[in-house]
Every structure is written in C-alpha cells, then in structure tokens.
Amino acid sequence: MLSNLATGFALAALHGVAVAAVRIVSAPLWGRAVDRFGARPVLAVCSFGIAAVPAIWLFPTPAFLWPLALEAALSGALWGGHGLAAMDLTVDLSPAQAPLFTSPSSHDSLAPPLRVCDSPERKE
C-alpha cells in the first residue's frame, strides 16, 4: 500500500481504523445471524468471503484508490462475523466442565500456602 499505491502512513492507518470500525458496527448484526442460523453457516459464509476479499487489491492504482474503501468495509464486516462465529463455535464445541479457577482441586492446592502466609503464628 505504501510503495505500490504511493499512499502515506495516514491513509494506511485510516484503512486499519476503518476495518476495525466496521468490525465493531457489524458485530451485533453477526450476533443475530449466529443466533438465528448457527455459528457454522455464518463461519462458512464469512470464511469464503474472506478468501475472496484479496482480489479487490487487484483494482486500486495510485490515481484510483476507492476500491480500498470497499475492501475495508468488506474485510471489517467479514472478519467481524468470522471472529464472532469462531468464538461461538469454540464455546459450543468445548466440553462442559467447571472453569479451572473454581474447581475444588485448585482450591485445595492453594489452601495450604495461603494458610501458611496468613497464619497468625507466623513470625518474621
């Protein structure tokens, strides 16, 4: 982008900000899609879309930069849906168990050192 399209750092940063902003704005829409259709179909649609987005980079030239705006919008929207669906699918597929920080074994293993440190008999 900097060398081939002769853009400055400000435009490159603006592109990154645009992608992030679209991800934030599109997250509630993708959340509703995941709730309605499930994480797998949303993840598949977003993954195929993400695979096609780099083709947009064939069109911009130093005098013709507007395809970068289209790429930022599509990239942000698709990556936002991909991240949301991938996390939802990971949580759905993970085994049901208590988190490590609340399991009895972790409390039992931390109890003796804590008793020693907080003991009133401890003299320094």
Side-chain angles (χ1 to χ4, degrees):
M1 189 171 188
L2 296 173
S3 60
N4 291 338
L5 296 178
T7 63
F9 285 105
L11 191 58
L14 182 63
H15 180 269
V17 168
V19 171
V22 172
R23 283 184 77 162
I24 292 168
V25 170
S26 68
L29 302 171
W30 286 117
R32 284 193 282 282
V34 167
D35 289 343
R36 184 171 179 175
F37 303 111
R40 286 178 195 239
V42 171
L43 187 61
V45 166
C46 290
S47 296
F48 281 111
I50 289 167
V53 165
I56 296 172
W57 282 90
L58 296 171
F59 302 108
T61 64
F64 187 68
L65 292 175
W66 73 264
L68 295 179
L70 175 66
E71 190 275 338
L74 281 174
S75 235
L78 292 170
W79 277 111
H82 185 276
L84 197 66
M87 182 55 133
D88 190 71
L89 190 60
T90 302
V91 171
D92 284 348
L93 295 176
S94 65
Q97 68 181 21
L100 291 177
F101 58 86
T102 61
S103 69
S105 63
S106 68
H107 289 294
D108 292 343
S109 64
L110 290 177
L114 290 176
R115 276 191 233 122
V116 170
C117 293
D118 293 336
S119 172
E121 296 87 23
R122 184 172 174 225
K123 308 236 194 279
E124 296 184 319

